[in-house]
Amino acid sequence: MTDSAGGRLPAVFDRYLPESNTLFDLASIGEGGARATAGPDTAGPAHYDEMLDSTGAPRPAWDELVAGYAVRGDARLQTASARLAAATRDEGVVYNVVDGATTVARPWSVDPVPLIIDGVEWASLEKAITQRSMLLDLLLRDIYRDQRLITSGLVPPEMVFAHPGYLRKAARLEIAGPHALFLHAVDLVRRADGRFVAHADRTQAPSGIGYATVDRRLVSHTFPQLFQSCAPRPIATFAGTLRLALLDYAPPGVDDPTVAVFSPGSMSETAFDQAYLASMLGFPLVEGTDLTVRDGAVYMRSLGRLKRVDVLLRRVDAAFADPLDLRTDSRLGVAGLVEAISRGTVTVVNSIGSGVCENPALHTVLERLAPVLLDEELALGSVPTFWAGDDLQRSKVLADLGHLLITNIRTGEEFVGALMDATGRAQLAERIGAYGVEWVGRALETYSVAPTITPGGGVGARTGSLRAAPVSIRAFSVAQGPTYAVMPGGLGSVLADGVGGAALQTVAAKDVWVSNPDVGGHVSRRSATRGEPAEEVIGATERISVSEYFDTAAGASPRVLADMFWFGRYGERTEQVTRLARVARERCQDFQYRPWMQGTSAVPLLLHAVATVTGTAEYLRTAQLRTDDASGHPWPEPVDEALGRIADLTVAATVPGTIAFAVDRLVAAARAVRDQMSTSTWMVLTPMERAVESMARQVTGAGDTSATGDTRTAGVFGEASLDLGPDLARVHEEVLHAVLGLSGLQSESMVHDAAWLFMDVGRRVERVITLADLTAALFEVPQETAVEQALLESFLTAGESAVIYRRRSRGLYRMLPVLQLLFFDATNPRAMIYQFDRLRADLSGLPDSLRSAAAERIVEEMTSELRRSDPADLGAVGDDGRRAALVDLATMAREGARELSDVLARSRFALPLPAQPIWGFGGGNP
């Protein structure tokens, strides 16, 4: 083996060689069908290799990376790949997949091998991207103003007006800045001749800046030495450029603008990207319910007040941005937003109606528009594109249907002709012939390849080693003065093997490294940060006054406050249910092999009490365990069955009250306010998810609900051969470690602002309810001495107070000192009185605009009622055989906490009712 400097690849790249590529051969696709991929040993057609030149030697920009990989070898690359995947999970990077009414968060996949672009070549490409952005900007202005390009015949009117991105309401709307197109993204591919071309333009609400930035951070941390030696140009400064541009687009006369990122919500596909971008920019992430229009201006609900918003970075599709003037069935927009734009009181970027430039049919006219609008030839062309609205081009589309990616510009349908049979192509040809203006065909070509470790899914695709795969780049440009600034890199993608890759189907993200232009375009070994001026970031900071910074940072809408409240509740619920499940499991195991011990009857009582507190008693059928015990059935015999029900309490994700359900809701609440979270939050949430999912996979035989629809897992838990105890112990410990870490983060790494106070209120409310319910479930009816001793010990353990009790009260467990410790001891963080004190402090610590007299009164009444109670009376048993005073006190606390939650929901978390026009609902193109 020789190193890359000798013109040959190291052994680690053996499977990258051309004869091992799993690319498809377009020439082999005939009219009778498609061959999606060539065999594993069949070379595909000529393609551009990003890493190797025509002689098979590494290109100069790749020398450092090739040498670094040679030193590391396959084994270390695989280790680094696993480390990168774990870091991505720990960061909480996800992509939401919407399936009907369900949204599933899928893990984000980042390829460990970066895509390197020579700095000199990128400088030329950057100019071409800037030119294309300016061309689309001028085209967009003309479409919504003079329409000279349409009247002159350069742009067919059907091409524009048939596209859903064209909005009539956007005509002649003014924008504060010099550009109608503020932010532009373009999906780039490299053809076999080495030229970059555009596959698609993203002008509606371009996504991916957040993903590109987090990809860079993760990859650079995985390969710190390699990153330092390659020294790619930094991309983090692009956020500073974007921030400055947003401030510059404030309406005239606004010197200190308020900017917000307008998001469709945490269930949108790119919710992570939106939240991460908002955090980088330092601007609040808002949804439609957070905004309102008053007197022709846009305001943000914040801390019980209305704060004027001057600039909105729009991530909501334009048609859904205003249910009054645009789509009336939208629940994502702000009624009156279009009116505010027309008055010039707010700037929305990208502008309303900018999505019309995403029409791929426009690719067929850009080449002739560039000389007219820019007096230049188009530098960045498009993939061969044909619009079926033109007779000649329609003939081309119909003739080459099997070699094209067919798109309906009105419905968004896409068909890969090479993957359709003859019948499907015939039906598609009939639709195209009937109304050609809606159809566009783009050529399926062979795009450039680069090294990857990510499997491609094609025939013969190998995993675990470096291989060649087609790649693409999403490049970003933002308006900057009279021109555009381009991110030095972008969001790379590993494309699928075969025809799917030609249609830009992605399988993983890829970090794009642009080398610093040096002699011959080689990668510079200088630190990238030293070569980049920090003027943009400093300038962005100077634009914000101290008072405006703190006001914006502290701002929180009712939606955010509600999400933080429930984040606190679900965090506490996860901890409490896990502690209860752990105590029940430990008691089961204590008596499993020692049936002679006193107090065995406490186990079914405890398990039923846990199920009652969590609301899962009917689902787990724990009452049956009590019946079996009362009838004389020897309790140690069904311990395996009890452990199975505890496992069910742990992993049944669709059942409210279980650990898995609480974890799922906790993570969902955290994602809804990701921009409010500490950056370390996902380091504790992700292991918690993994632990529960791992346990759920272990009990696979008990989850088949296809026939009955019953979500209960059955058929495995009752088998004595399956010892669930040790695995349950591991899961419970891992979840507890995570929630305790989360508690520490909340206490020490989050600003104690209004949102934090509501989060803590949620925690205290949940702890009060759990303590009250558990007290009533365990001690309403007195038990024999041995059983009650066991229940009191379990009660203290679940309340994290057993150690302090034993230190204070040596000897037997007794009701009076237990109640004193867990109800009346103001120094015990688990005591009821402590929760009331914290609730009072949290509620009184809120800003005046958020304080609630009704909520504070409820807490005062609960505190007074508790202080009036005598611990000795609480343990007394009445003539009816019940501890009525104790149950009454527990009921008071539970109902008071629930009433407090309801009062806050009505008065502080209430969202405005969606505004609708008086003429009813509708959809389609406004």
Side-chain angles (χ1 to χ4, degrees):
M1 179 190 75
T2 61
D3 61 19
S4 60
R8 295 179 55 191
L9 285 176
V12 70
F13 287 93
D14 283 350
R15 291 184 177 178
Y16 182 80
L17 299 178
E19 59 267 19
S20 299
N21 290 348
T22 58
L23 305 176
F24 72 102
D25 186 356
L26 282 169
S28 69
I29 300 175
E31 290 303 316
R35 183 161 65 92
T37 59
D41 299 320
T42 301
H47 56 264
Y48 186 90
D49 195 308
E50 298 287 349
M51 183 178 71
L52 303 180
D53 61 20
S54 58
T55 68
R59 300 181 188 276
W62 287 78
D63 281 341
E64 296 285 353
L65 185 132
V66 170
Y69 279 14
V71 171
R72 286 162 176 80
D74 270 335
R76 290 181 64 184
L77 285 180
Q78 290 307 309
T79 301
S81 178
R83 190 166 64 248
L84 176 61
T88 305
R89 291 193 301 269
D90 291 344
E91 191 75 21
V93 189
V94 295
Y95 181 86
N96 291 336
V97 178
V98 180
D99 183 12
T102 305
T103 301
V104 181
R106 301 294 187 194
W108 184 254
S109 177
V110 184
D111 186 58
V113 186
L115 173 60
I116 300 179
I117 306 295
D118 181 85
V120 173
E121 183 181 26
W122 181 265
S124 175
L125 179 61
E126 190 174 280
K127 294 179 181 178
I129 294 171
T130 299
Q131 184 208 54
R132 190 178 182 95
S133 299
M134 296 181 69
L135 177 61
L136 291 175
D137 172 57
L138 294 173
L139 173 60
L140 183 62
R141 279 190 178 276
D142 184 79
I143 287 174
Y144 286 110
R145 294 191 68 83
D146 300 332
Q147 297 186 348
R148 292 175 181 174
L149 298 174
I150 296 176
T151 56
S152 65
L154 288 173
V155 178
E158 302 91 342
M159 185 180 290
V160 173
F161 302 136
H163 190 267
Y166 176 78
L167 303 177
R168 293 190 298 273
K169 287 287 185 178
R172 300 192 178 277
L173 286 180
E174 294 293 340
I175 190 166
H179 296 283
L181 181 61
F182 176 80
L183 186 62
H184 174 218
V186 55
D187 293 334
L188 301 172
V189 290
R190 199 196 293 257
R191 303 179 70 183
D193 59 6
R195 291 187 302 114
F196 278 104
V197 292
H199 188 277
D201 291 290
R202 308 294 178 182
T203 60
Q204 174 71 264
S207 62
I209 296 175
Y211 282 125
T213 307
V214 76
D215 289 350
R216 169 63 58 87
R217 188 162 65 85
L218 292 170
V219 172
S220 63
H221 289 178
T222 303
F223 298 102
Q225 293 179 335
L226 192 61
F227 182 80
Q228 184 177 8
S229 63
C230 291
R233 290 178 59 186
I235 63 175
T237 53
F238 186 76
T241 304
L242 176 58
R243 180 186 176 93
L244 273 176
L246 287 166
L247 295 172
D248 286 339
Y249 270 64
V254 179
D255 296 326
D256 195 11
T258 297
V259 185
V261 179
F262 184 19
S263 166
S266 61
M267 293 294 103
S268 64
E269 291 91 335
T270 58
F272 172 88
D273 181 73
Q274 299 158 23
Y276 198 86
L277 178 61
S279 297
M280 287 195 301
L281 296 175
F283 296 142
L285 186 71
V286 299
E287 299 178 18
T289 55
D290 302 330
L291 303 172
T292 185
V293 174
R294 302 286 176 89
D295 298 325
V298 178
Y299 292 86
M300 174 174 59
R301 296 179 174 90
S302 176
L303 299 177
R305 304 188 305 272
L306 294 177
K307 180 175 179 59
R308 177 80 171 263
V309 177
D310 304 298
V311 182
L312 285 174
L313 176 58
R314 177 177 59 83
R315 294 298 297 268
V316 177
D317 284 354
F320 294 88
D322 185 346
L324 189 62
D325 280 312
L326 300 172
R327 286 193 58 146
T328 56
D329 60 342
S330 171
R331 295 295 185 271
L332 306 176
V334 186
L337 181 61
V338 172
E339 173 68 16
I341 296 172
S342 68
R343 292 191 182 192
T345 60
V346 67
T347 300
V348 177
V349 291
N350 277 349
S351 58
I352 298 294
S354 61
V356 68
C357 288
E358 291 191 350
N359 185 355
L362 292 174
H363 292 184
T364 64
V365 300
L366 291 182
E367 191 168 352
R368 66 173 179 254
L369 293 181
V372 174
L373 297 176
L374 298 173
D375 197 23
E376 298 173 356
E377 295 298 322
L378 185 64
L380 179 61
S382 307
V383 296
T385 306
F386 311 96
W387 177 51
D390 177 83
D391 292 341
L392 184 60
Q393 294 183 59
R394 181 168 63 252
S395 299
K396 176 67 174 176
V397 170
L398 295 175
D400 294 341
L401 206 57
H403 296 79
L404 298 175
L405 171 65
I406 306 297
T407 303
N408 186 304
I409 64 174
R410 182 180 61 84
T411 65
E413 297 172 276
E414 284 195 342
F415 303 90
V416 181
L419 299 181
M420 302 177 70
D421 56 23
T423 302
R425 285 202 295 269
Q427 294 174 346
L428 181 58
E430 184 178 351
R431 293 180 63 187
I432 295 173
Y435 195 52
V437 296
E438 292 185 350
W439 297 92
V440 174
R442 280 171 287 184
L444 295 172
E445 296 191 343
T446 302
Y447 301 133
S448 63
V449 298
T452 180
I453 298 180
T454 303
V459 177
R462 297 180 173 92
T463 61
S465 299
L466 286 166
R467 67 179 188 90
V471 293
S472 69
I473 303 173
R474 176 169 293 185
F476 302 92
S477 65
V478 63
Q480 185 182 55
T483 181
Y484 284 82
V486 178
M487 176 188 284
L491 179 61
S493 295
V494 179
L495 302 180
D497 291 338
V499 180
L504 245 65
Q505 176 187 343
T506 64
V507 295
K510 203 171 183 68
D511 191 15
V512 180
W513 291 6
V514 175
S515 67
N516 282 294
D518 206 342
V519 179
H522 290 272
V523 178
S524 171
R525 291 177 177 271
R526 293 179 294 108
S527 170
T529 56
R530 295 178 184 172
E532 290 291 325
E535 299 173 36
E536 292 175 345
V537 177
I538 294 173
T541 305
E542 291 174 347
R543 291 291 301 270
I544 302 298
S545 66
V546 174
S547 61
E548 190 272 346
Y549 167 76
F550 282 106
D551 191 46
T552 301
S557 68
R559 174 190 59 83
V560 171
L561 298 179
D563 287 334
M564 291 295 289
F565 174 81
W566 282 102
F567 179 67
R569 286 200 65 173
Y570 278 118
E572 183 65 24
R573 187 174 301 179
T574 300
E575 178 182 349
Q576 294 297 333
V577 177
T578 304
R579 289 189 182 279
L580 291 173
R582 185 179 70 163
V583 168
R585 171 187 52 77
E586 289 173 348
R587 293 299 170 263
C588 286
Q589 292 178 301
D590 285 345
F591 296 122
Q592 185 172 13
Y593 303 110
R594 290 174 290 181
W596 59 86
M597 291 181 61
Q598 291 183 329
T600 56
S601 296
V603 177
L605 294 174
L606 175 62
L607 189 56
H608 183 62
V610 169
T612 301
V613 170
T614 58
T616 57
E618 182 177 354
Y619 168 72
L620 296 176
R621 301 195 295 273
T622 52
Q624 182 64 36
L625 295 175
R626 297 185 62 183
T627 302
D628 292 343
D629 182 70
S631 62
H633 193 279
W635 168 248
E637 296 294 331
V639 165
D640 289 325
E641 182 182 357
L643 287 176
R645 300 189 188 190
I646 296 172
D648 213 357
L649 178 65
T650 303
V651 302
T654 61
V655 180
T658 64
I659 296 175
F661 187 87
V663 168
D664 182 68
R665 295 305 174 92
L666 173 63
V667 172
R671 288 187 177 131
V673 286
R674 183 186 290 271
D675 57 316
Q676 304 282 325
M677 297 289 104
S678 162
T679 55
S680 302
T681 300
W682 303 99
M683 294 178 63
V684 295
L685 290 182
T686 303
M688 185 192 310
E689 286 186 290
R690 285 204 301 263
V692 176
E693 291 170 358
S694 174
M695 187 68 197
R697 287 193 297 270
Q698 182 172 334
V699 290
T700 52
D704 186 3
T705 62
S706 56
T708 65
D710 185 5
T711 58
R712 177 178 162 73
T713 52
V716 167
F717 294 155
E719 295 184 5
S721 60
L722 183 60
D723 186 4
L724 294 172
D727 294 303
L728 281 173
R730 174 185 55 81
V731 172
H732 294 160
E733 293 303 318
E734 290 181 4
V735 173
L736 277 179
H737 290 165
V739 294
L740 292 176
L742 180 62
S743 178
L745 283 173
Q746 292 170 342
S747 176
E748 301 297 331
S749 298
M750 294 180 65
V751 176
H752 291 206
D753 56 7
W756 186 93
L757 291 173
F758 275 113
M759 179 194 69
D760 196 56
V761 168
R763 291 183 60 197
R764 305 303 162 184
V765 165
E766 192 67 29
R767 191 171 290 184
V768 167
I769 292 174
T770 302
L771 179 59
D773 285 345
L774 185 61
T775 301
L778 286 177
F779 304 121
E780 177 179 7
V781 178
Q783 306 294 332
E784 61 182 63
T785 302
V787 173
E788 190 139 291
Q789 287 276 306
L791 293 178
L792 286 170
E793 182 182 7
S794 300
F795 183 60
L796 287 166
T797 303
E800 195 68 2
S801 300
V803 173
I804 187 62
Y805 179 87
R806 286 193 293 268
R807 191 166 71 234
R808 291 181 178 180
S809 306
R810 299 177 182 178
L812 297 175
Y813 293 100
R814 292 175 297 153
M815 179 66 67
L816 179 59
V818 168
L819 293 179
Q820 287 175 328
L821 180 61
L822 279 173
F823 272 76
F824 299 96
D825 190 342
T827 64
N828 181 9
R830 300 284 170 170
M832 185 73 75
I833 189 64
Y834 186 90
Q835 313 315 313
F836 292 166
D837 290 343
R838 286 298 301 268
L839 284 171
R840 182 170 58 248
D842 288 342
L843 292 172
S844 61
L846 291 169
D848 290 342
S849 58
L850 289 177
R851 291 187 65 172
S852 169
E856 293 181 37
R857 184 174 60 253
I858 292 171
V859 175
E860 291 296 338
E861 291 174 353
M862 290 193 297
T863 304
S864 299
E865 186 70 24
L866 178 61
R867 292 189 185 281
R868 285 197 298 267
S869 301
D870 186 345
D873 294 338
L874 297 180
V877 180
D879 295 338
D880 58 355
R882 297 172 58 250
R883 294 188 174 100
L886 180 61
V887 173
D888 289 344
L889 181 63
T891 302
M892 178 278 300
R894 179 184 65 247
E895 296 305 319
R898 289 178 175 171
E899 184 183 0
L900 172 61
S901 180
D902 291 341
V903 165
L904 293 176
R906 291 193 305 268
S907 62
R908 295 297 175 262
F909 307 151
L911 299 177
L913 294 175
Q916 294 293 338
I918 59 175
W919 53 86
F921 298 86
N925 189 18

